[in-house]
Amino acid sequence: LYKEVVYIMTKLKFATTYSFDYSLTPNSIIECQNGDYIIVGKAHNKDSHSSAFAIRVNYKGNVIWKKIYSSPLPQFFTSIIQTTNGDLVATGIYYYSEYASDEYTWIVKLDENGNIVWQKTLGFVGMQSEGYDICATSDGGFAITSLFYNGISYKTRIFKFNNEYELQWDELFDIGVAFSIVETMDNGFMLSGAINTLNSSLNNIFILRIDSNGKKLWDRIYSEFIDSDIVNSSIIEMKNGHFAVVAKSIIFEINSIGNIVWSKKNSNYKLNNIIQSKEGNYIISGSSTINNNSHAFIECIGSNNQESLWSTTELLYPSETTDLILSKEDYLVTCGYAPINTDKSLVCFALFSY
């Protein structure tokens, strides 16, 4: 007797790049309700100030519109969602002075043409606040996780807004910095992030679970997982009620109370996203070091045996994927960047079938 294993390979459907006069770093991509895609991120301006940018493209990658959101001081987008009501909402970072650490969490509502129709900044003067991730909630609102730094320690701050853009609650947790937030099936939230060890260049991964009112249910620091300079992570709720997490070179699954089911580490990885395929497998993305070069990278890992089913580095290098989603038509859709010289990089947009 033997078990037949079917390996489904991915195929690059198409890839294209976009540019402004600036160097671009895309941070987030969404599929809109009509099948268009919006990519947001950071434009590095010639005067050294950064601006936010957004690009809307159709399913063929053709540009519908592209916008630069300039201000006298730096600002940029880190994440965007479409709410259950169809609103486009982004979060990011807004500088209120020219000095480092003088930052607020920035929240922006865009209309269908990319115009800002509402915006809000949250923070306190003299205390650093940076919006990192946003998730749509089942009540039509949204939740944001942000960095909060008071000059002594880094903390996680979470804002929950209703569908009328009213702040429902604001909670602060002294555990480290959460980079990713998802709403759970019980309408609470799970967050993943990193906390400094005694060696400031090394980090442990942590998970924080809160209820729908922002009250902590449990948290856990995974001291068995350690890596240098973790500045991103991604967490998802699996169809079986478990959670899967990636952070730099580490991928692992936990059950509903935080116990580790399995884990892997690969020092060649620089991972920033994980999603679940319709078959229930894990799909991870970021970059992989091959012959000392950084390649945009996607890999599918089987949920049953945690073995690699396929991987691809078809995109040009040097490059890196920065976000990954599964489209309504079941394509893998990714955004990323590709440097064209030491001073400038382009936005990369690609669709894969599998």
Side-chain angles (χ1 to χ4, degrees), residues 68-85:
I68 289 283
Y69 306 90
S70 297
S71 76
L73 296 168
Q75 61 186 26
F76 57 92
F77 293 138
T78 54
S79 184
I80 186 170
I81 51 101
Q82 188 164 38
T83 68
T84 57
N85 298 331

Side-chain angles (χ1 to χ4, degrees), residues 169-231:
W169 48 261
D170 169 5
E171 295 290 343
L172 188 66
F173 298 92
D174 189 7
I175 191 175
V177 181
F179 304 114
S180 180
I181 183 171
V182 294
E183 186 183 33
T184 54
M185 288 185 278
D186 62 1
N187 301 125
F189 299 92
M190 285 284 277
L191 300 96
S192 65
I195 184 170
N196 287 346
T197 65
L198 294 177
N199 183 332
S200 61
S201 68
L202 296 177
N203 305 109
N204 287 131
I205 299 169
F206 76 82
I207 304 296
L208 169 65
R209 185 162 194 169
I210 61 177
D211 66 18
S212 59
N213 296 310
K215 304 308 177 185
K216 183 175 75 172
L217 298 175
W218 55 264
D219 60 35
R220 179 165 172 179
I221 298 171
Y222 294 86
S223 57
E224 54 267 70
F225 301 142
I226 191 167
D227 211 332
S228 61
D229 301 322
I230 296 176
V231 296

